[in-house]
Amino acid sequence: PALIASICDDRGMMGQLTQFVINTTLRHQTQWQAAGLDVTVGINLSAKTANDSRFATQVAQACELWGIAPDRLLFELTEDSIVRNEQATIECMHALRNIGCELSIDDFGTGYSSFAYLRQFPVHELKIDRVFVQNLVTERGDQQIVKALIDLTHAFNLRSLAEGVDNPAAVHLLRQFGCDRVQGFLYAKALPPEGFAD
């Protein structure tokens, strides 16, 4: 009963889970920094969390507690989570950016893509969805889409990141297209904190 009461507060289970993820991330970052690894970690945000006016303050407090600069956190939102409550999400994103966090739109190109978002939202990065990247080497249409998305990203002075990269040939093409960053199984699958440090 005590556990249930602590989880089911006014923010609900998702808020508690988000707090746990942030504090766990910051704890690992202190360990990595002590080992000489200064990295930024991406954290996915739910639509509910992105609408919480208190969230940026809680992030700032957690960063201060753990001694980690807020720019070492990159919060990722999907397009569909953004449009659920656009005004509240914009306010939350501005608050996160104001404290120094980085922001990314995840799975870009598969949801409610709109140029208006690129003007309105204070993001640093667009993540090109893996659906366009997984067959990049063999599908001319995917190559055209990815190149156009990278160009669009740069036109708005944002970083481009391609998800789902699993072979060197795709990296070669993405480099030719001017993609800024890649992630995928070519480099590593999900790892425990100790494995990542190694």
Side-chain angles (χ1 to χ4, degrees), residues 41-46 74-78 81 102-106 125 127 161 163 183:
V41 177
I43 298 174
N44 294 93
L45 288 187
S46 69
L74 183 149
F75 290 103
E76 303 178 7
L77 298 95
T78 59
S81 72
E102 296 218 336
L103 300 166
S104 177
I105 297 181
D106 200 8
E125 174 183 89
K127 297 181 72 174
L161 183 149
E163 300 180 290
Q183 74 178 53

Side-chain angles (χ1 to χ4, degrees), residues 136-137 165-175 182 185-187:
L136 186 65
V137 176
V165 175
D166 59 9
N167 65 76
V171 174
H172 178 72
L173 275 175
L174 289 162
R175 187 175 286 125
V182 298
F185 288 170
L186 175 63
Y187 300 99

Side-chain angles (χ1 to χ4, degrees), residues 35-167:
L37 298 172
D38 187 17
V39 297
T40 299
V41 177
I43 298 174
N44 294 93
L45 288 187
S46 69
K48 184 175 182 180
T49 302
N51 295 337
D52 188 341
S53 61
R54 300 165 293 178
F55 181 63
T57 300
Q58 292 167 343
V59 170
Q61 291 170 345
C63 287
E64 185 175 357
L65 175 68
W66 289 100
I68 299 293
D71 66 1
R72 289 296 172 254
L73 294 178
L74 183 149
F75 290 103
E76 303 178 7
L77 298 95
T78 59
E79 294 174 75
D80 61 338
S81 72
I82 290 171
V83 298
R84 289 183 191 177
N85 192 340
E86 192 171 313
Q87 188 56 44
T89 302
I90 290 173
E91 291 172 8
C92 180
M93 292 172 80
H94 277 289
L96 286 168
R97 181 154 182 157
N98 288 341
I99 66 169
C101 296
E102 296 218 336
L103 300 166
S104 177
I105 297 181
D106 200 8
D107 303 334
F108 189 74
T110 61
Y112 303 91
S113 302
S114 169
F115 292 168
Y117 293 152
L118 304 184
R119 283 191 298 106
Q120 280 184 280
F121 294 136
V123 298
H124 300 85
E125 174 183 89
L126 296 184
K127 297 181 72 174
I128 300 168
D129 190 81
R130 70 183 64 247
V131 72
F132 303 118
V133 177
Q134 59 191 3
N135 298 315
L136 186 65
V137 176
T138 57
E139 296 295 328
R140 176 72 176 151
D142 287 345
Q143 293 173 16
Q144 292 171 327
I145 290 170
V146 169
K147 176 70 166 68
L149 289 173
I150 292 169
D151 290 344
L152 175 68
T153 301
H154 292 162
F156 282 90
N157 296 313
L158 303 173
R159 287 191 312 261
S160 55
L161 183 149
E163 300 180 290
V165 175
D166 59 9
N167 65 76

